[in-house]
Amino acid sequence: MKPMYFPFTCIREQNACAVFRRLGPFCLCRENEEDSFCNAVDSAGASYIEYVYPVADGSGRVAALAKEYLKWGNLHKGGMAMLSRLGKGQFYNNEFSANISTLIKKSDNGESDANDPVFMARLFLALARRFDTREDEVLHEIEVADVAGRSLVAELTGKPLEDTSTANFFSNSSPPGDSGGVATQMRLSSFFRLLCRQKQIPRLYVTSSPAVMESLVDRFSGISLLFRLENVQESVDGLESGAQAQPDWIAKLVNLASVHDNAADLHDAVPGPFGGPGSEDGYHMDVYAVDACPPTTFVNELAGMPCQGLNDTDSAGLTLVSLISD
């Protein structure tokens, strides 16, 4: 199976390209059946993101409830802020969700959908997607305004605009840009509860969220860094230099992880060419192995519930996690 990107609610084009260049095509897991939200294509025009839908039933109901949830939130905005301050929590948390479940989460037969952990995970992820999209739009607008501001300064001073300058016209007013830093634990548990319904469990996961990676390091004491790749490996299959990571590169790494029981042995088995020369794009990749943790154990631990539709390969070897960051 292709590498699985998470948390998957929102992925910026730059991050998607950075993942693709290092790992090739990758998967995005969706809570609802709907049009894709990222039109990422390679040089030949083919999409390099595969969308998977572990649960498709009730997609319309999830979308409708998410809309009602937001409507309720706008109506009681002041009360929500007070609840958040009193509870020292965030908008998307278990307690707040439970408090309003009786208002908007009733099914047609009168039973509460709050009793279904997978349904509640899908609802949370649908809400988180809307939250992340708004944050991303705000960040984009600030970046556009920043460029316009620096262009105006350049015009007034007669000095050229430095496109590569790290100076920000609006100083530190930009949002942090890490959606995984908001309700991190809820994001992880909801994502992996949904993934529990996937027939094939991935071995390699990739994220661009430092907050998510920090959470995993705290959660799994045996997680360890295998290596860091500073550059994009050069392609030798006729594509442009550095355009796409080699499929055999990722297959080799996954195969090594499937036959080793601990991270130390896997670290010794990883050959030197993984860190070979390549082109630069401002990103780097850290690859971690989760010790004594095959994919099913990894998913079960984070989801807090057992997987369905397992096979023998899901219960052997190690889980790999990659952090793509700039």
Side-chain angles (χ1 to χ4, degrees), residues 2 11 16 33 39 44 47 98 109 111 127 144 171 175 188 195 206 208 229 238 249 252 271 299 318 325:
K2 296 180 180 69
I11 179 170
E33 280 191 319
N39 297 318
S47 175
N109 59 9
E111 296 180 359
L127 288 164
V144 170
S171 185
L188 287 173
L195 194 62
V206 57
S208 56
L229 287 179
W249 183 89
K252 184 188 300 182
V299 174
L318 298 173
S325 55

PDB file of all heavy atoms in Angstrom, residues 2 11 16 33 39 44 47 98 109 111 127 144 171 175 188 195 206 208 229 238 249 252 271 299 318 325:
ATOM      1  N   LYS A   2       0.423   2.318  -0.624  1.00  0.00           N
ATOM      2  CA  LYS A   2       1.182   3.556  -0.683  1.00  0.00           C
ATOM      3  C   LYS A   2       1.321   4.173   0.716  1.00  0.00           C
ATOM      4  O   LYS A   2       0.529   3.881   1.615  1.00  0.00           O
ATOM      5  CB  LYS A   2       0.479   4.545  -1.605  1.00  0.00           C
ATOM      6  CG  LYS A   2       0.395   4.121  -3.058  1.00  0.00           C
ATOM      7  CD  LYS A   2      -0.323   5.194  -3.876  1.00  0.00           C
ATOM      8  CE  LYS A   2      -0.409   4.787  -5.344  1.00  0.00           C
ATOM      9  NZ  LYS A   2      -1.321   3.647  -5.539  1.00  0.00           N
ATOM     10  N   ILE A  11      -3.942  19.541   3.407  1.00  0.00           N
ATOM     11  CA  ILE A  11      -2.545  19.421   3.011  1.00  0.00           C
ATOM     12  C   ILE A  11      -2.235  20.497   1.985  1.00  0.00           C
ATOM     13  O   ILE A  11      -2.908  20.611   0.966  1.00  0.00           O
ATOM     14  CB  ILE A  11      -2.215  18.011   2.463  1.00  0.00           C
ATOM     15  CG1 ILE A  11      -0.746  17.941   2.034  1.00  0.00           C
ATOM     16  CG2 ILE A  11      -3.138  17.605   1.323  1.00  0.00           C
ATOM     17  CD1 ILE A  11      -0.289  16.536   1.711  1.00  0.00           C
ATOM     18  N   ALA A  16       2.435  18.633  -0.170  1.00  0.00           N
ATOM     19  CA  ALA A  16       2.090  17.490  -1.013  1.00  0.00           C
ATOM     20  C   ALA A  16       3.206  17.209  -2.011  1.00  0.00           C
ATOM     21  O   ALA A  16       3.589  16.058  -2.233  1.00  0.00           O
ATOM     22  CB  ALA A  16       0.774  17.751  -1.740  1.00  0.00           C
ATOM     23  N   GLU A  33     -17.504  10.477   1.298  1.00  0.00           N
ATOM     24  CA  GLU A  33     -17.365  10.404  -0.149  1.00  0.00           C
ATOM     25  C   GLU A  33     -17.756  11.752  -0.741  1.00  0.00           C
ATOM     26  O   GLU A  33     -18.917  12.149  -0.700  1.00  0.00           O
ATOM     27  CB  GLU A  33     -18.266   9.295  -0.719  1.00  0.00           C
ATOM     28  CG  GLU A  33     -17.699   7.910  -0.579  1.00  0.00           C
ATOM     29  CD  GLU A  33     -18.477   6.893  -1.389  1.00  0.00           C
ATOM     30  OE1 GLU A  33     -19.709   6.981  -1.398  1.00  0.00           O
ATOM     31  OE2 GLU A  33     -17.845   6.019  -1.997  1.00  0.00           O
ATOM     32  N   ASN A  39      -5.960  18.942  -6.061  1.00  0.00           N
ATOM     33  CA  ASN A  39      -5.750  18.528  -7.449  1.00  0.00           C
ATOM     34  C   ASN A  39      -4.260  18.442  -7.758  1.00  0.00           C
ATOM     35  O   ASN A  39      -3.749  19.157  -8.618  1.00  0.00           O
ATOM     36  CB  ASN A  39      -6.437  19.508  -8.400  1.00  0.00           C
ATOM     37  CG  ASN A  39      -7.935  19.527  -8.205  1.00  0.00           C
ATOM     38  OD1 ASN A  39      -8.548  18.481  -8.044  1.00  0.00           O
ATOM     39  ND2 ASN A  39      -8.522  20.705  -8.214  1.00  0.00           N
ATOM     40  N   ALA A  44       3.158  14.497 -15.912  1.00  0.00           N
ATOM     41  CA  ALA A  44       2.378  13.875 -16.979  1.00  0.00           C
ATOM     42  C   ALA A  44       0.883  14.122 -16.821  1.00  0.00           C
ATOM     43  O   ALA A  44       0.078  13.637 -17.621  1.00  0.00           O
ATOM     44  CB  ALA A  44       2.653  12.372 -17.030  1.00  0.00           C
ATOM     45  N   SER A  47      -2.728  12.192 -11.278  1.00  0.00           N
ATOM     46  CA  SER A  47      -2.811  12.506  -9.858  1.00  0.00           C
ATOM     47  C   SER A  47      -1.873  11.607  -9.062  1.00  0.00           C
ATOM     48  O   SER A  47      -1.792  10.404  -9.309  1.00  0.00           O
ATOM     49  CB  SER A  47      -4.245  12.315  -9.365  1.00  0.00           C
ATOM     50  OG  SER A  47      -4.314  12.497  -7.962  1.00  0.00           O
ATOM     51  N   ALA A  98     -19.874  15.900  23.787  1.00  0.00           N
ATOM     52  CA  ALA A  98     -20.906  15.164  24.517  1.00  0.00           C
ATOM     53  C   ALA A  98     -22.027  16.090  24.967  1.00  0.00           C
ATOM     54  O   ALA A  98     -23.204  15.703  24.988  1.00  0.00           O
ATOM     55  CB  ALA A  98     -20.292  14.454  25.712  1.00  0.00           C
ATOM     56  N   ASN A 109     -34.180   6.962  14.064  1.00  0.00           N
ATOM     57  CA  ASN A 109     -34.919   6.112  14.998  1.00  0.00           C
ATOM     58  C   ASN A 109     -34.801   6.595  16.441  1.00  0.00           C
ATOM     59  O   ASN A 109     -35.209   5.901  17.366  1.00  0.00           O
ATOM     60  CB  ASN A 109     -34.435   4.657  14.897  1.00  0.00           C
ATOM     61  CG  ASN A 109     -32.942   4.527  15.212  1.00  0.00           C
ATOM     62  OD1 ASN A 109     -32.312   5.483  15.654  1.00  0.00           O
ATOM     63  ND2 ASN A 109     -32.403   3.349  14.966  1.00  0.00           N
ATOM     64  N   GLU A 111     -32.087   7.102  18.238  1.00  0.00           N
ATOM     65  CA  GLU A 111     -30.887   6.694  18.962  1.00  0.00           C
ATOM     66  C   GLU A 111     -29.739   7.655  18.660  1.00  0.00           C
ATOM     67  O   GLU A 111     -29.644   8.216  17.573  1.00  0.00           O
ATOM     68  CB  GLU A 111     -30.493   5.268  18.564  1.00  0.00           C
ATOM     69  CG  GLU A 111     -31.522   4.216  18.945  1.00  0.00           C
ATOM     70  CD  GLU A 111     -31.089   2.830  18.530  1.00  0.00           C
ATOM     71  OE1 GLU A 111     -30.004   2.711  17.934  1.00  0.00           O
ATOM     72  OE2 GLU A 111     -31.821   1.873  18.803  1.00  0.00           O
ATOM     73  N   LEU A 127     -15.561  18.294  10.800  1.00  0.00           N
ATOM     74  CA  LEU A 127     -15.490  19.621  11.415  1.00  0.00           C
ATOM     75  C   LEU A 127     -14.067  20.162  11.389  1.00  0.00           C
ATOM     76  O   LEU A 127     -13.836  21.341  11.113  1.00  0.00           O
ATOM     77  CB  LEU A 127     -15.996  19.539  12.860  1.00  0.00           C
ATOM     78  CG  LEU A 127     -17.505  19.354  13.018  1.00  0.00           C
ATOM     79  CD1 LEU A 127     -17.849  18.890  14.416  1.00  0.00           C
ATOM     80  CD2 LEU A 127     -18.227  20.660  12.704  1.00  0.00           C
ATOM     81  N   VAL A 144      -0.339  36.709   0.950  1.00  0.00           N
ATOM     82  CA  VAL A 144      -0.548  37.588  -0.203  1.00  0.00           C
ATOM     83  C   VAL A 144      -0.367  39.045   0.212  1.00  0.00           C
ATOM     84  O   VAL A 144       0.288  39.837  -0.497  1.00  0.00           O
ATOM     85  CB  VAL A 144      -1.950  37.372  -0.803  1.00  0.00           C
ATOM     86  CG1 VAL A 144      -2.266  38.437  -1.836  1.00  0.00           C
ATOM     87  CG2 VAL A 144      -2.046  35.984  -1.430  1.00  0.00           C
ATOM     88  N   SER A 171       5.391  40.906  10.446  1.00  0.00           N
ATOM     89  CA  SER A 171       6.110  40.388  11.610  1.00  0.00           C
ATOM     90  C   SER A 171       5.609  38.999  11.972  1.00  0.00           C
ATOM     91  O   SER A 171       5.606  38.108  11.150  1.00  0.00           O
ATOM     92  CB  SER A 171       5.953  41.356  12.792  1.00  0.00           C
ATOM     93  OG  SER A 171       6.735  40.935  13.892  1.00  0.00           O
ATOM     94  N   PRO A 175      -0.610  32.938  11.229  1.00  0.00           N
ATOM     95  CA  PRO A 175      -0.940  31.723  11.972  1.00  0.00           C
ATOM     96  C   PRO A 175       0.226  30.743  11.912  1.00  0.00           C
ATOM     97  O   PRO A 175       1.046  30.790  10.995  1.00  0.00           O
ATOM     98  CB  PRO A 175      -2.161  31.171  11.216  1.00  0.00           C
ATOM     99  CG  PRO A 175      -2.705  32.335  10.466  1.00  0.00           C
ATOM    100  CD  PRO A 175      -1.533  33.186  10.126  1.00  0.00           C
ATOM    101  N   LEU A 188      -5.631  12.376  16.163  1.00  0.00           N
ATOM    102  CA  LEU A 188      -5.007  11.058  16.016  1.00  0.00           C
ATOM    103  C   LEU A 188      -6.012   9.938  16.259  1.00  0.00           C
ATOM    104  O   LEU A 188      -6.105   8.992  15.470  1.00  0.00           O
ATOM    105  CB  LEU A 188      -3.823  10.932  16.979  1.00  0.00           C
ATOM    106  CG  LEU A 188      -2.575  11.724  16.603  1.00  0.00           C
ATOM    107  CD1 LEU A 188      -1.537  11.667  17.720  1.00  0.00           C
ATOM    108  CD2 LEU A 188      -1.973  11.185  15.315  1.00  0.00           C
ATOM    109  N   LEU A 195      -9.349   4.592  10.194  1.00  0.00           N
ATOM    110  CA  LEU A 195      -8.439   3.693   9.502  1.00  0.00           C
ATOM    111  C   LEU A 195      -8.623   2.242   9.942  1.00  0.00           C
ATOM    112  O   LEU A 195      -8.302   1.316   9.195  1.00  0.00           O
ATOM    113  CB  LEU A 195      -6.991   4.131   9.737  1.00  0.00           C
ATOM    114  CG  LEU A 195      -5.932   3.513   8.821  1.00  0.00           C
ATOM    115  CD1 LEU A 195      -6.199   3.888   7.368  1.00  0.00           C
ATOM    116  CD2 LEU A 195      -4.535   3.949   9.234  1.00  0.00           C
ATOM    117  N   VAL A 206       3.187   9.224   6.805  1.00  0.00           N
ATOM    118  CA  VAL A 206       3.953  10.454   6.646  1.00  0.00           C
ATOM    119  C   VAL A 206       3.110  11.636   7.095  1.00  0.00           C
ATOM    120  O   VAL A 206       1.898  11.687   6.848  1.00  0.00           O
ATOM    121  CB  VAL A 206       4.414  10.629   5.178  1.00  0.00           C
ATOM    122  CG1 VAL A 206       3.229  10.626   4.223  1.00  0.00           C
ATOM    123  CG2 VAL A 206       5.224  11.904   5.007  1.00  0.00           C
ATOM    124  N   SER A 208       3.301  16.132   8.027  1.00  0.00           N
ATOM    125  CA  SER A 208       4.052  17.380   7.975  1.00  0.00           C
ATOM    126  C   SER A 208       3.777  18.200   9.231  1.00  0.00           C
ATOM    127  O   SER A 208       4.073  19.389   9.276  1.00  0.00           O
ATOM    128  CB  SER A 208       3.658  18.184   6.722  1.00  0.00           C
ATOM    129  OG  SER A 208       2.262  18.424   6.695  1.00  0.00           O
ATOM    130  N   LEU A 229      16.942  12.623   5.611  1.00  0.00           N
ATOM    131  CA  LEU A 229      17.288  12.943   4.228  1.00  0.00           C
ATOM    132  C   LEU A 229      17.127  14.449   4.040  1.00  0.00           C
ATOM    133  O   LEU A 229      16.033  14.981   4.172  1.00  0.00           O
ATOM    134  CB  LEU A 229      16.375  12.204   3.244  1.00  0.00           C
ATOM    135  CG  LEU A 229      16.597  10.702   3.070  1.00  0.00           C
ATOM    136  CD1 LEU A 229      15.590  10.144   2.088  1.00  0.00           C
ATOM    137  CD2 LEU A 229      18.007  10.413   2.603  1.00  0.00           C
ATOM    138  N   GLY A 238      14.259   8.571 -16.362  1.00  0.00           N
ATOM    139  CA  GLY A 238      13.880   9.384 -17.511  1.00  0.00           C
ATOM    140  C   GLY A 238      13.097  10.622 -17.157  1.00  0.00           C
ATOM    141  O   GLY A 238      12.884  11.473 -18.007  1.00  0.00           O
ATOM    142  N   TRP A 249      12.828   2.416  -3.996  1.00  0.00           N
ATOM    143  CA  TRP A 249      13.423   2.955  -2.766  1.00  0.00           C
ATOM    144  C   TRP A 249      12.464   2.754  -1.591  1.00  0.00           C
ATOM    145  O   TRP A 249      12.832   2.242  -0.534  1.00  0.00           O
ATOM    146  CB  TRP A 249      13.706   4.442  -2.960  1.00  0.00           C
ATOM    147  CG  TRP A 249      14.375   5.111  -1.800  1.00  0.00           C
ATOM    148  CD1 TRP A 249      15.708   5.218  -1.567  1.00  0.00           C
ATOM    149  CD2 TRP A 249      13.722   5.760  -0.710  1.00  0.00           C
ATOM    150  NE1 TRP A 249      15.932   5.897  -0.397  1.00  0.00           N
ATOM    151  CE2 TRP A 249      14.721   6.244   0.151  1.00  0.00           C
ATOM    152  CE3 TRP A 249      12.384   5.985  -0.376  1.00  0.00           C
ATOM    153  CZ2 TRP A 249      14.443   6.946   1.327  1.00  0.00           C
ATOM    154  CZ3 TRP A 249      12.105   6.667   0.795  1.00  0.00           C
ATOM    155  CH2 TRP A 249      13.125   7.142   1.634  1.00  0.00           C
ATOM    156  N   LYS A 252      11.878  -0.998  -0.833  1.00  0.00           N
ATOM    157  CA  LYS A 252      12.995  -1.610  -0.109  1.00  0.00           C
ATOM    158  C   LYS A 252      12.911  -1.306   1.386  1.00  0.00           C
ATOM    159  O   LYS A 252      13.106  -2.181   2.237  1.00  0.00           O
ATOM    160  CB  LYS A 252      14.319  -1.093  -0.668  1.00  0.00           C
ATOM    161  CG  LYS A 252      15.553  -1.745  -0.054  1.00  0.00           C
ATOM    162  CD  LYS A 252      16.832  -1.059  -0.511  1.00  0.00           C
ATOM    163  CE  LYS A 252      16.985  -1.134  -2.023  1.00  0.00           C
ATOM    164  NZ  LYS A 252      18.258  -0.498  -2.462  1.00  0.00           N
ATOM    165  N   PRO A 271      20.677   0.494   4.362  1.00  0.00           N
ATOM    166  CA  PRO A 271      21.903   0.757   3.597  1.00  0.00           C
ATOM    167  C   PRO A 271      22.172   2.244   3.428  1.00  0.00           C
ATOM    168  O   PRO A 271      21.274   3.075   3.530  1.00  0.00           O
ATOM    169  CB  PRO A 271      21.621   0.094   2.243  1.00  0.00           C
ATOM    170  CG  PRO A 271      20.136   0.143   2.127  1.00  0.00           C
ATOM    171  CD  PRO A 271      19.595  -0.021   3.527  1.00  0.00           C
ATOM    172  N   VAL A 299      -1.969   1.055  14.963  1.00  0.00           N
ATOM    173  CA  VAL A 299      -3.307   1.591  14.720  1.00  0.00           C
ATOM    174  C   VAL A 299      -4.222   1.355  15.920  1.00  0.00           C
ATOM    175  O   VAL A 299      -4.955   2.246  16.346  1.00  0.00           O
ATOM    176  CB  VAL A 299      -3.911   0.973  13.444  1.00  0.00           C
ATOM    177  CG1 VAL A 299      -5.359   1.418  13.262  1.00  0.00           C
ATOM    178  CG2 VAL A 299      -3.089   1.371  12.223  1.00  0.00           C
ATOM    179  N   LEU A 318       7.751  -3.829  11.776  1.00  0.00           N
ATOM    180  CA  LEU A 318       7.689  -2.537  12.446  1.00  0.00           C
ATOM    181  C   LEU A 318       6.874  -1.527  11.640  1.00  0.00           C
ATOM    182  O   LEU A 318       6.704  -1.673  10.434  1.00  0.00           O
ATOM    183  CB  LEU A 318       9.110  -1.971  12.627  1.00  0.00           C
ATOM    184  CG  LEU A 318      10.064  -2.797  13.486  1.00  0.00           C
ATOM    185  CD1 LEU A 318      11.464  -2.210  13.423  1.00  0.00           C
ATOM    186  CD2 LEU A 318       9.585  -2.854  14.925  1.00  0.00           C
ATOM    187  N   SER A 325       9.407  18.233   6.793  1.00  0.00           N
ATOM    188  CA  SER A 325       9.382  19.594   7.337  1.00  0.00           C
ATOM    189  C   SER A 325      10.383  20.491   6.617  1.00  0.00           C
ATOM    190  O   SER A 325      11.314  19.996   5.984  1.00  0.00           O
ATOM    191  CB  SER A 325       9.676  19.573   8.850  1.00  0.00           C
ATOM    192  OG  SER A 325      10.896  18.921   9.108  1.00  0.00           O
TER     193      SER A 325
END
